[in-house]
Amino acid sequence: DAGITQSPRHKVTETGTPVTLRCHQTENHRYMYWYRQDPGHGLRLIHYSYGVKDTDKGEVSDGYSVSRSKTEDFLLTLESATSSQTSVYFCAISEAGRGYMELFFGSGTQLSVL
Amino acid sequence: DAKTTQPTSMDCAEGRAANLPCNHSTISGNEYVYWYRQIHSQGPQYIIHGLKNNETNEMASLIITEDRKSSTLILPHATLRDTAVYYCIVTNAGGTSYGKLTFGQGTILTVHP
């Protein structure tokens, strides 16, 4: 399995508090992604990174920010968590090249905002 | 990216071939067909992809019609562990796509004994 570690695996927090989810990879892949998965919506891209300090918005970026100061780490921050951000968050990585749409996903973080 | 249409659910007997269809009638010439699956509570897993030729790997085969408007993922000998949601995704693998995959609702495949 690709070396992707998401932390924490589960988190319960209160509305209005800041939350940071971490994705760590040991594959030295260039691209990293944050997706969220909700019933009835499937997986939706939040933000992605195409290199250190290079990030861009995805489909559902409002309320989220990201940072990537090192190749191996991609952080997702909810500045002020809301109940609508209760979801399962997946990190993914891929490498550039002919088959770079081969994303490798982490095990997910279950976030509950009360 | 082209839109895809998949059946909501399918059943398959263990040991038999599972054939999962996908329609992508608006696919353009530079778009690939990708298949992923997601076993309950896990992250999605890449299965296979193709452009216009049929492809086979250790997990599955991908058959793309000559006009590229539809494809079929074949799991040759389905096992109980193949029970999952299967996603068909059509995307431009170059340019600014950067791996921004669009996951639809997929097909829930249930393999029964």
Side-chain angles (χ1 to χ4, degrees):
Chain A
D1 291 345
I4 308 169
T5 304
Q6 290 186 231
S7 58
R9 291 295 313 278
H10 303 273
K11 186 170 182 65
V12 179
T13 191
E14 294 185 348
T15 299
T17 59
V19 176
T20 295
L21 308 183
R22 180 183 184 232
C23 178
H24 178 77
Q25 61 146 329
T26 58
E27 304 296 324
N28 201 36
H29 282 4
R30 177 182 176 187
Y31 298 91
M32 298 187 76
Y33 315 81
W34 277 108
Y35 282 84
R36 62 177 287 177
Q37 185 168 32
D38 307 289
H41 289 280
L43 283 125
R44 293 179 291 174
L45 181 66
I46 305 171
H47 281 281
Y48 64 99
S49 169
Y50 46 96
V52 173
K53 298 193 189 311
D54 292 323
T55 65
D56 206 348
K57 298 178 180 180
E59 179 186 1
V60 289
S61 60
D62 288 347
Y64 302 94
S65 62
V66 290
S67 66
R68 191 169 177 200
S69 58
K70 298 183 291 184
T71 299
E72 57 266 34
D73 289 325
F74 192 34
L75 304 180
L76 177 70
T77 298
L78 291 65
E79 300 290 347
S80 178
T82 67
S83 57
S84 65
Q85 293 176 312
T86 292
S87 185
V88 180
Y89 291 85
F90 289 102
C91 172
I93 64 174
S94 72
E95 188 49 85
R98 178 178 173 273
Y100 73 78
M101 290 300 191
E102 297 177 28
L103 271 61
F104 301 94
F105 284 80
S107 300
T109 295
Q110 173 69 61
L111 176 67
S112 298
V113 183
L114 306 180
Chain B
D1 293 344
K3 180 178 172 59
T4 61
T5 303
Q6 300 178 250
T8 301
S9 63
M10 297 183 65
D11 289 332
C12 179
E14 189 176 20
R16 305 297 294 269
N19 296 280
L20 291 87
C22 180
N23 286 319
H24 31 79
S25 58
T26 60
I27 192 170
S28 60
N30 62 349
E31 289 183 315
Y32 288 72
V33 180
Y34 277 75
W35 283 84
Y36 281 75
R37 73 179 183 183
Q38 186 173 24
I39 297 171
H40 182 63
S41 299
Q42 299 180 19
Q45 175 191 24
Y46 165 83
I47 301 173
I48 198 168
H49 75 279
L51 183 62
K52 54 183 177 181
N53 297 320
N54 297 338
E55 303 287 345
T56 296
N57 63 20
E58 64 279 4
M59 290 183 65
S61 295
L62 174 61
I63 309 297
I64 302 174
T65 58
E66 191 171 346
D67 63 7
R68 304 209 321 124
K69 293 184 177 182
S70 66
S71 60
T72 301
L73 177 74
I74 301 172
L75 307 178
H77 304 287
T79 71
L80 299 179
R81 289 176 294 179
D82 292 321
T83 293
V85 180
Y86 287 78
Y87 298 99
C88 170
I89 301 167
V90 173
T91 187
N92 178 354
T96 59
S97 293
Y98 290 119
K100 293 182 288 183
L101 299 179
T102 299
F103 288 81
Q105 297 303 308
T107 296
I108 302 170
L109 174 68
T110 303
V111 181
H112 51 85

